[in-house]
């Protein structure tokens, strides 16, 4: 799967992690690979192997000096593309021309820093997601770190039936919030037994939750919520203003990036920005309390079985369903509590997990394609076309008209969900 991930451009951190040339070099691990992200004096980003090619001192403690980053140990200096600019402890002026530091292509878009960690010859064109066009004022970026395999975090995003159970309290609160788009989820409550339909697409798959109702003239209509999964790790939420990506740090840790955006609403400005993050538990304080920031991620008191993942049982007694802070902490607890890599041989999937099983299949087929020297699905997908949607269609018409840009490659039979199992909305 690591080889499959290396065929796509993926987000590695946020622009806010390394905003200016003065910012300290930002060390991180992606796909089990230790990297450093830094800027030269022109603001150009570099993504390098975190360890100096001389004797492996970390460049995270290096000096950003004009056109390059200088290793503290013996002063070797590197450009963003890995060119060796200086080797002050070597007399031979040609020595530095014989090798380069390991450098990776990098781009900045949508408030995120992206890199391509795969074979140079197979590097695809840089994708363009719809939210790349939103300026900073109209976009809200946040991420949370989790101590679990990335699939465990990803599958919760195509899990139709947990929302008004695990997130029962937050969902009720969402309906009461004004001027936050979370209210788009409120309509789901009128029919707790939707029909689910899943199609494979050229980028992965999408699935729809369909609820029957009546329009104002009394005619039958279907309320539709479509979620899209784009390989290898992207989710377009049906609320239409939220995109998510779950990127592996390594096999047992992952980064969950969130991007909200809106053409008119200034989601990137306070108070809306802070209010949105606070509501879902992605504000700095809540993230730090649950050790979901880089500063706190590996602290001894992080969520574990020993401390019940920081669940507050007294809150349950006081009426909370989960005893956790908010959506983010609830999801994290259920995702990490099975263990960093859960024993999937003991999972019993139900019809309601149809999209979860499509996710597994989709990821496995990408890994198999790469193993067979083929291109995995979606490498060249037009990401501008990948959308989540909520809307209505007349009862006798196909909901797929709401996502006309999705190219469907295979359809699956519908599944009617049991009561109390509405679709994923956050
Ligand atoms: S280890 Fe970096 S210059 Fe020697
Ligand atoms: Fe959730």
């Amino acid at each position: 799967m690591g080889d499959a991930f290396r065929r796509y451009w993926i987000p590695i951190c946020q622009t806010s992690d390394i905003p200016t040339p003065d910012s300290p070099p930002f060390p991180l691990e992606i796909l089990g690979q230790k990297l450093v992200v830094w800027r030269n004096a022109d603001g150009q980003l570099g993504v390098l192997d975190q360890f100096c090619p001389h004797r492996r001192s970390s460049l995270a403690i290096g000096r950003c000096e004009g056109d390059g980053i200088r290793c503290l140990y013996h002063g070797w200096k590197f450009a963003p593309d890995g060119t060796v600019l200086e080797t002050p402890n070597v007399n031979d002026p040609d020595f530095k021309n014989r090798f380069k530091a390991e450098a990776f292509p990098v781009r900045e878009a949508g408030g995120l820093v992206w890199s391509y960690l795969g074979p140079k010859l197979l590097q695809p064109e840089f994708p363009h997601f719809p939210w790349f066009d939103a300026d900073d004022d109209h976009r809200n970026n946040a991420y949370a770190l989790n101590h679990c395999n990335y699939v465990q975090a990803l599958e919760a995003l195509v899990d139709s039936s947990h929302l008004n159970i695990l997130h029962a309290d937050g969902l009720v609160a969402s309906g009461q919030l004004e001027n936050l788009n979370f209210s788009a989820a409120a309509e789901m409550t009128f029919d707790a037994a939707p029909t689910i339909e899943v199609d494979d697409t050229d980028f992965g798959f999408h699935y729809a939750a369909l609820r029957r109702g009546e329009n104002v003239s009394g005619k039958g209509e279907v309320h539709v919520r479509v979620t899209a999964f784009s390989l290898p790790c992207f989710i377009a939420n049906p609320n239409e203003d939220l995109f998510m990506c779950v990127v592996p740090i390594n096999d047992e840790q992952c980064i969950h990036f969130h991007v909200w955006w809106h053409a008119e609403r200034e989601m990137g400005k306070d108070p809306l920005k802070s209010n949105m993050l606070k509501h879902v538990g992605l504000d700095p304080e809540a993230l730090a309390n649950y050790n979901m920031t880089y500063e706190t991620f590996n602290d001894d008191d992080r969520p574990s079985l020993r401390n019940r993942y920081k669940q507050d049982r007294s809150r349950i007694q006081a009426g909370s369903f989960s005893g956790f802070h908010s959506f983010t902490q609830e999801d994290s607890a259920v995702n990490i509590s099975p263990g960093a890599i859960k024993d999937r041989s003991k999972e019993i999937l139900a019809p309601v997990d149809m999209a979860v099983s499509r996710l597994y299949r989709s990821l496995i087929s990408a890994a198999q394609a790469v193993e067979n020297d083929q291109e995995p699905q979606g490498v060249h997908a037009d990401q501008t076309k990948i959308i989540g949607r909520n809307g209505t269609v007349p009862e006798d018409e196909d909901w797929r008209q709401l996502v006309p840009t999705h190219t469907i490659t295979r359809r699956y039979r519908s599944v009617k969900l049991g009561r109390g199992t509405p679709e994923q909305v956050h």
Side-chain angles (χ1 to χ4, degrees):
M1 201 61 223
D3 289 338
F5 261 90
R6 283 176 173 78
R7 299 294 294 276
Y8 303 85
W9 283 90
I10 50 174
I12 60 171
C13 62
Q14 288 184 175
T15 293
S16 57
D17 290 317
I18 178 100
T20 65
D22 300 335
S23 307
F26 192 72
L28 75 178
E29 184 178 347
I30 299 289
L31 308 179
Q33 201 159 347
K34 302 229 167 63
L35 305 168
V36 64
V37 188
W38 58 284
R39 284 185 200 272
N40 70 11
D42 296 333
Q44 190 188 346
L45 280 168
V47 176
L48 297 176
D49 177 10
Q50 193 185 117
F51 306 104
C52 173
H54 178 218
R55 289 192 12 234
R56 310 296 287 162
S57 181
S58 175
L59 294 173
I61 53 169
R63 296 168 54 87
C64 299
E65 285 185 18
D67 55 352
I69 185 167
R70 188 185 298 282
C71 177
L72 280 189
Y73 201 174
H74 313 92
W76 292 16
K77 188 179 177 190
F78 310 98
D81 68 354
T83 299
V84 187
L85 300 170
E86 295 172 21
T87 54
N89 65 341
V90 178
N91 284 332
D92 176 1
D94 282 338
F95 175 76
K96 66 179 183 336
N97 303 326
R98 294 192 199 125
F99 64 98
K100 288 180 91 171
E102 191 173 16
F104 301 92
V106 56
R107 299 273 197 291
E108 253 178 304
L112 297 172
V113 176
W114 300 70
S115 191
Y116 171 78
L117 304 179
K120 295 270 184 280
L121 289 175
L122 297 173
Q123 181 181 325
E125 61 283 5
F126 186 61
H128 190 103
F129 288 90
W131 34 278
F132 284 7
D133 300 323
D135 62 29
D136 288 353
D137 285 350
H138 293 85
R139 179 174 23 77
N140 194 352
N141 294 81
Y143 65 82
L145 305 179
N146 277 291
H147 281 277
C148 67
N149 179 268
Y150 75 100
V151 181
Q152 283 163 228
L154 204 48
E155 65 195 279
L157 306 177
V158 294
D159 177 334
S160 305
S161 60
H162 82 280
L163 191 101
N164 80 337
I165 300 176
L166 176 65
H167 304 311
D169 301 341
L171 197 62
V172 171
S174 297
Q176 294 160 352
L177 286 173
E178 284 187 17
N179 204 24
L180 302 189
N181 224 26
F182 302 114
S183 55
E187 67 187 52
M188 61 175 278
T189 50
F190 74 83
D191 177 359
T195 299
I196 297 285
E197 294 188 0
V198 186
D199 300 326
D200 283 346
T201 61
D202 61 338
F203 54 79
F205 67 89
H206 64 198
Y207 76 100
L210 310 172
R211 295 185 165 83
R212 315 264 154 213
E214 279 188 0
N215 67 17
V216 276
S217 61
K219 292 225 172 81
E221 64 180 8
V222 180
H223 294 246
V224 186
R225 293 178 57 84
V226 186
T227 304
F229 168 73
S230 171
L231 278 158
C233 58
F234 303 105
I235 301 279
N237 182 280
N239 284 1
E240 302 185 12
D241 63 354
L242 172 60
F243 217 91
M244 292 179 278
C245 340
V246 182
V247 175
I249 294 174
N250 51 44
D251 286 346
E252 300 195 341
Q253 299 171 343
C254 61
I255 314 173
H256 186 163
F257 294 100
H258 304 67
V259 185
W260 282 272
W261 83 105
H262 199 278
E264 282 98 45
R265 286 186 184 156
E266 294 192 318
M267 292 182 159
K269 282 170 85 172
D270 279 334
L272 186 54
K273 178 182 168 135
S274 300
N275 288 345
M276 288 177 71
L277 297 182
K278 215 165 185 152
H279 177 59
V280 296
L282 282 168
D283 55 298
E285 189 187 351
L287 290 176
N289 285 343
Y290 283 80
N291 304 75
M292 302 175 89
T293 63
Y294 276 113
E295 292 74 24
T296 57
F297 192 42
N298 288 313
D299 287 355
D300 289 344
D301 70 339
R302 70 175 190 249
S304 67
L305 183 59
R306 185 87 193 83
N307 60 22
R308 283 183 202 280
Y309 305 93
K310 299 200 172 179
Q311 185 185 40
D312 182 349
R313 305 289 295 190
S314 69
R315 285 186 60 182
I316 295 184
Q317 272 156 6
S320 154
F321 178 76
S322 72
F324 284 98
H325 177 73
S326 186
F327 293 89
T328 300
Q329 291 71 28
E330 288 167 340
D331 280 329
S332 182
V334 298
N335 293 339
I336 67 179
S337 61
I341 301 178
K342 67 176 163 178
D343 183 353
R344 293 177 187 280
S345 71
K346 292 184 175 165
E347 279 189 323
I348 300 170
L349 295 189
V352 67
D353 297 314
M354 197 174 176
V356 174
S357 73
R358 284 325 304 162
L359 174 71
Y360 295 168
R361 293 275 167 207
S362 190
L363 293 170
I364 289 168
S365 58
Q368 284 171 337
V370 173
E371 196 168 65
N372 296 327
D373 289 326
Q374 291 161 359
E375 185 151 86
Q377 213 179 5
V379 166
H380 300 293
D382 180 354
Q383 303 283 359
T384 55
K385 295 180 174 172
I386 300 170
I387 49 177
R389 274 285 176 272
N390 65 80
T392 51
V393 294
E395 195 154 35
D396 51 357
E397 289 185 23
D398 191 350
W399 58 268
R400 292 170 183 84
Q401 64 187 269
L402 294 177
V403 285
T405 54
H406 292 182
T407 304
I408 293 162
T409 54
R410 183 174 172 183
R411 294 186 185 197
Y412 297 89
R413 68 184 167 78
S414 339
V415 171
K416 177 86 174 156
L417 301 192
R419 294 205 67 79
T421 53
E423 90 281 24
Q424 174 248 352
V425 297
H426 73 292

